[in-house]
Amino acid sequence: MAAVLEASLATPFFSSKPHTTNFPSKFHTFPSKLTLRNTHRSSSAANASLSPSSPQDPNPNTQSNSDSTRDRQRTVRLAWEKLVRWSRSWRSKAKTDVLERTNKVVVLGGGSFGTAMAAHVAERKAQLEVMMLVRDPQVCFSINERHCNCKYFPDHRLPENVVATIDAKSALLGADYCLHAVPVQFSASFLESVAEYVDPGLPFISLSKGLELNTLRMMAQIIPQALRNPRQPFVALSGPSFALELMNKLPTAMVVASKDKKLANTVQQLLASSHLRISTSSDVTGVEIAGALKNVLAIAAGIVEGMNLGNNSMAALVSQGCSEIRWLATKMGAKPTTITGLSGTGDIMLTCFVNLSRNRTVGVRLGSGEKLENILNSMNQVAEGVSTAGAVIALAQKYNVKMPVLTAVARIIDNELTPKKAVFELKKYETSQYIIMSTSCFLTAACKTFVYQFFSPLCF
């Protein structure tokens, strides 16, 4: 057998000689199983007699397995220690002068996320003045007198250096940074009313996620235009983050995006803490589009949950929605890596799968049969996805992108389609797409076969 194999391997595969003697045919006689077994035993005995450790170790595989386990554990430990050393070195080189020279931060808006970020920044430095500009006098009173936001976080005590006011001039006077937490649909009118108090060099850190319904503008466009200052420093803050968990100081990771790399690094130093990791990005469009459209997708995910369509449907819908967001974002100039990263897929997963999401809650109630008007009237927070959904159809048409899932949400919100009918239509769409793709693949394969059959005699 060995001789036959050696002869076959010694002969080139593309040989001009016949291969009748190189490979065993059905007429060759192979050794029996008994012969092979005896040969294997004699070979093993010979190897054991030659091995010096065979008398002491009846099972040599045990020693080799333990050695390989120790080697693997050592490799993992060294890799982890290398990461820890790199992290410590990076932290030691990180600058802290940004926080030291910051004296005042203003937060525009007294909602849940604005309050959570105000508390977070205030805890970074006890001497830092964090002033919240709110419109509700009752919320203003509770923050200043009881040190809590009675509307959103009545059980969470705010730091002593968080104060509230309803006076825009005093809030913005002398501010080093501005956290913008006003809902997108009201941002332009609000900023226009306070533009005279805004310093031209005041960096705006946008916490708002969404698109303006009529103009399709993102916050990177709304803020400079409303303030009549195209050079107004702008940073977008986004990522998977619930206000409640931020208030409870649970580990969170977010992204700051700005065209100005130095400004992004500065805001990173201002906000990063032991429980909040901040990454930087230059892809403002990708971060904003993902943060806006994930709210619309969360409504769709809630509808699936409210209709009890199951986990299979949920996974199919969310994956399709992620693709639609990526298609549109890349057409608008975003980087695909942004959409698959923390501010994209990370934010989508949190908003679509967790009950704390108010956009998902709207979808659940829609899927359960409630009317949108009743749902919105019973909520004390703004679900940005409801307004943003109206912009989806316009964007899809503008950039020539097919977005069936997000378009279906927009039609449900406009009362043009029921959730049940939308599911039926999406099923038909997916089936038709499968037929088109299958036909296309068949025609492509047929063309390839024709070309091969036509040209192969000429080539060979």
Side-chain angles (χ1 to χ4, degrees):
M1 181 66 178
V4 173
L5 290 175
E6 288 175 1
S8 64
L9 292 174
T11 305
F13 186 78
F14 297 101
S15 174
S16 58
K17 297 180 181 180
H19 288 73
T20 52
T21 59
N22 294 335
F23 294 100
S25 67
K26 63 180 181 178
F27 300 105
H28 287 104
T29 303
F30 289 93
S32 64
K33 292 182 179 180
L34 181 61
T35 306
L36 290 173
R37 190 180 300 116
N38 292 335
T39 304
H40 175 70
R41 287 177 180 175
S42 61
S43 176
S44 300
N47 291 335
S49 63
L50 293 173
S51 176
S53 60
S54 57
Q56 291 81 11
D57 189 2
N59 188 2
N61 292 331
T62 304
Q63 183 67 27
S64 61
N65 289 338
S66 61
D67 290 342
S68 62
T69 301
R70 282 196 296 270
D71 291 342
R72 184 176 65 252
Q73 292 175 344
R74 182 174 179 274
T75 301
V76 172
R77 185 177 68 255
L78 291 176
W80 174 253
E81 291 174 353
K82 184 177 180 180
L83 287 172
V84 170
R85 286 195 300 271
W86 174 83
S87 178
R88 289 174 180 171
S89 174
W90 185 87
R91 287 200 305 269
S92 65
K93 294 177 182 178
K95 298 179 181 179
T96 58
D97 56 335
V98 172
L99 192 61
E100 292 174 358
R101 66 172 181 260
T102 302
N103 299 314
K104 182 179 179 180
V105 174
V106 61
V107 180
L108 305 181
S112 59
F113 201 74
T115 303
M117 287 303 299
H120 172 76
V121 174
E123 289 174 346
R124 296 275 289 138
K125 179 181 174 183
Q127 297 80 18
L128 180 65
E129 180 185 5
V130 179
M131 184 168 285
M132 297 179 62
L133 178 61
V134 301
R135 61 175 182 172
D136 189 340
Q138 186 178 358
V139 172
C140 182
F141 176 82
S142 67
I143 292 174
N144 291 332
E145 300 299 326
R146 302 173 187 170
H147 299 289
C148 71
N149 188 323
C150 61
K151 192 173 182 180
Y152 298 105
F153 295 111
D155 299 327
H156 289 76
R157 184 174 178 83
L158 298 174
E160 299 288 337
N161 52 336
V162 174
V163 294
T165 182
I166 58 175
D167 181 18
K169 184 177 181 180
S170 63
L172 289 162
L173 183 64
D176 297 305
Y177 294 93
C178 176
L179 297 176
H180 180 91
V182 179
V184 173
Q185 306 308 320
F186 308 106
S187 289
S189 58
F190 168 77
L191 290 171
E192 288 170 359
S193 67
V194 301
E196 59 181 309
Y197 309 122
V198 176
D199 187 277
L202 176 64
F204 268 72
I205 305 168
S206 175
L207 314 182
S208 307
K209 299 177 182 179
L211 298 169
E212 199 171 43
L213 183 56
N214 296 324
T215 65
L216 307 182
R217 292 185 300 176
M218 297 177 290
M219 292 304 302
Q221 300 160 330
I222 293 173
I223 290 177
Q225 291 175 13
L227 296 176
R228 298 183 294 276
N229 180 16
R231 295 183 178 275
Q232 193 78 42
F234 176 84
V235 177
L237 177 68
S238 189
S241 52
F242 283 139
L244 179 61
E245 296 191 358
L246 198 59
M247 286 290 286
N248 291 332
K249 301 180 182 179
L250 296 178
T252 305
M254 302 179 71
V255 176
V256 290
S258 178
K259 298 294 184 181
D260 186 344
K261 184 178 180 180
K262 184 178 179 180
L263 179 60
N265 292 333
T266 299
V267 174
Q268 179 189 44
Q269 296 170 36
L270 176 69
L271 301 180
S273 70
S274 59
H275 62 274
L276 178 58
R277 182 174 67 85
I278 300 291
S279 302
T280 61
S281 172
S282 60
D283 187 8
V284 178
T285 299
V287 169
E288 287 219 79
I289 285 295
L293 298 192
K294 61 93 181 180
N295 288 328
V296 184
L297 182 55
I299 295 175
I303 291 173
V304 170
E305 181 69 21
M307 294 179 67
N308 296 315
L309 297 181
N311 297 321
N312 295 346
S313 296
M314 180 69 76
L317 175 126
V318 173
S319 61
Q320 169 67 23
C322 288
S323 297
E324 294 177 14
I325 293 173
R326 187 181 70 252
W327 297 336
L328 177 62
T330 51
K331 277 288 189 73
M332 296 177 68
K335 299 176 183 177
T337 52
T338 302
I339 309 304
T340 57
L342 185 65
S343 59
T345 304
D347 210 357
I348 290 170
M349 289 191 293
L350 183 76
T351 315
C352 290
F353 300 142
V354 182
N355 292 329
L356 289 174
S357 167
R358 51 183 179 264
N359 291 284
R360 185 181 187 275
T361 301
V362 170
V364 171
R365 296 175 66 177
L366 283 172
S368 302
E370 292 188 52
K371 298 294 183 181
L372 179 63
E373 183 179 359
N374 297 333
I375 296 171
L376 297 180
N377 289 336
S378 65
M379 297 178 66
N380 66 343
Q381 292 177 294
V382 176
E384 289 279 15
V386 175
S387 300
T388 304
V392 168
I393 297 177
L395 281 174
Q397 293 174 347
K398 181 178 179 180
Y399 290 95
N400 194 25
V401 178
K402 290 182 174 62
M403 307 175 70
V405 170
L406 301 186
T407 302
V409 174
R411 296 191 66 196
I412 291 172
I413 288 174
D414 289 341
N415 211 18
E416 296 178 356
L417 205 63
T418 64
K420 189 173 182 179
K421 181 70 173 176
V423 171
F424 179 72
E425 292 291 339
L426 286 174
K427 283 183 180 178
K428 289 200 303 183
Y429 174 83
E430 293 296 335
T431 303
S432 64
Q433 287 294 103
Y434 175 76
I435 292 173
I436 292 172
M437 290 177 63
S438 300
T439 306
S440 175
C441 291
F442 172 77
L443 292 175
T444 303
C447 290
K448 286 182 178 179
T449 303
F450 171 77
V451 170
Y452 175 78
Q453 292 179 346
F454 181 80
F455 285 106
S456 58
L458 302 178
C459 297
F460 299 100

